[in-house]
Amino acid sequence: TTVFVGNDTPGAVTHITVNEEENRLLLHWDAPTGVNNGYIDPASLTYTLIRRMNDQSVTLTESLTATSYSDGPFDLNVTPQQLVTYTLIPHSSTGSGEAKAHTCLIGKPYETPFAESFRNQQLSTSPWSTVRLKGTKAAWNLGAVGYEPDAVPQDEDGGLAWFNSALVPAGETARLLSPAIDISGLTRPELTFYMYHYPVPLLDRDTVKIECAADNGEYRLFEGAAFGINHTQIGWVRHRIPLDLYK
């Protein structure tokens, strides 16, 4: 049996959310727990907050004691939308915790109906971004075809999005982040997409999970929306996800 005694080192912060407040972005997060499940003196916690926007990183503060921060001013109706990534690092008298990043979008959301087919390996909407969640090599890419297994685009328009799972170690993950979309005017909003499936058991570790972040909140997995590459049929399969809970 191992017992940890004394003040613990903080882990990563959790539950980062971003809300619009007039022309500012208001961040909230939960304080970290100890990496050894030990005690952390709340009074000793401080945070470093870094903002990355337009390919530039700015350290907003290195000694914040609160678990919230108001950043701005911004043009929250800018067109096209812009990506903003906040990174939080907790500190205590015993050391620094793991950095935790949260990417959000500012600007006018797209109206519905919304569609993106990556025609000719180009984007007709923006911004789309690949965000690494675990590991250093996982990424989404645009291509004329998919690889391992080989796949031409479902609509034969010369473009698709593909994940490089055959090139990265098992367990690495990355998120393909879409622009913000306003679904408030739809009676029964629904996400539809095609995924190429292939019945090979060895590839069962590869899974696409559909998540949603409503109004720049936390990303939440849709119930039942995890699709392994294995399927009873070979080729493109249409998947449909109801979005009623996010209206």
Side-chain angles (χ1 to χ4, degrees), residues 183-216:
I183 62 173
S184 61
L186 297 178
T187 303
R188 299 186 64 182
E190 182 180 71
L191 167 67
T192 301
F193 69 97
Y194 286 88
M195 178 176 171
Y196 195 91
H197 291 274
Y198 198 70
V200 180
L202 293 178
L203 296 178
D204 195 43
R205 67 181 177 90
D206 298 327
T207 303
V208 171
K209 298 179 180 180
I210 307 300
E211 299 177 321
C212 180
D215 300 323
N216 283 325

Side-chain angles (χ1 to χ4, degrees), residues 5 10 16 26 32 39 42 48 53 76 85 93 99 127 130 139 143 160 162 164 168 171 183 195 210 214 244 247:
V5 179
I16 303 173
L26 183 60
Y39 174 75
T48 294
M53 182 177 179
L76 298 180
T85 298
S93 58
T130 181
L160 48 69
W162 64 281
N164 62 341
V168 302
I183 62 173
M195 178 176 171
I210 307 300
D244 302 80
K247 281 192 62 176

Side-chain angles (χ1 to χ4, degrees), residues 216-228:
N216 283 325
E218 282 191 280
Y219 288 93
R220 299 185 182 277
L221 177 67
F222 285 98
E223 183 177 354
F227 304 95

